[in-house]
Amino acid sequence: MDTDLKKELDVLVTLRKILSGVVREITPDPGMKHPLSEGTIEDVRQGFMLIAAREKEISEALGKPSLHRPMYKGDTPKTNVVKLHGLSDKKDKD
């Protein structure tokens, strides 16, 4: 059964990547009219949510945390990268 779940997860990940690629390519620059209707845009969002929910279910069933989350243009990342100036990986030479 784990093999079937793994295959399903692989299919979902691939579909999500394809769908997100299409969305990125057709998303217009700010201020321009979107080629898709509001209904279609909402359907795509719902599709992403269904894919993400099923990915999470399968990942939990396989004992793995889900790291795949869809990001939409304009979404704010939930994490921030902070650069620490003055720190170095190299040891100081005396």
Side-chain angles (χ1 to χ4, degrees), residues 44-74:
V44 170
R45 285 187 182 125
Q46 294 297 320
F48 273 125
M49 290 184 352
L50 288 171
I51 290 169
R54 185 62 184 143
E55 283 179 343
K56 182 178 178 187
E57 289 172 357
I58 293 170
S59 293
E60 288 173 354
L62 294 173
K64 301 177 188 176
S66 177
L67 301 175
H68 307 290
R69 302 197 194 295
M71 286 286 293
Y72 301 102
K73 192 171 188 175

Side-chain angles (χ1 to χ4, degrees), residues 15-85:
L15 288 174
R16 181 179 39 78
K17 287 179 180 180
I18 291 168
L19 186 57
S20 65
V22 170
V23 168
R24 274 192 300 275
E25 287 186 20
I26 65 169
T27 300
D29 292 329
M32 296 184 71
K33 185 175 177 354
H34 203 289
L36 301 177
S37 69
E38 286 298 319
T40 300
I41 293 170
E42 185 58 31
D43 288 344
V44 170
R45 285 187 182 125
Q46 294 297 320
F48 273 125
M49 290 184 352
L50 288 171
I51 290 169
R54 185 62 184 143
E55 283 179 343
K56 182 178 178 187
E57 289 172 357
I58 293 170
S59 293
E60 288 173 354
L62 294 173
K64 301 177 188 176
S66 177
L67 301 175
H68 307 290
R69 302 197 194 295
M71 286 286 293
Y72 301 102
K73 192 171 188 175
D75 281 355
T76 306
K78 294 192 182 351
T79 59
N80 293 322
V81 175
V82 179
K83 292 186 179 187
L84 300 175
H85 298 284

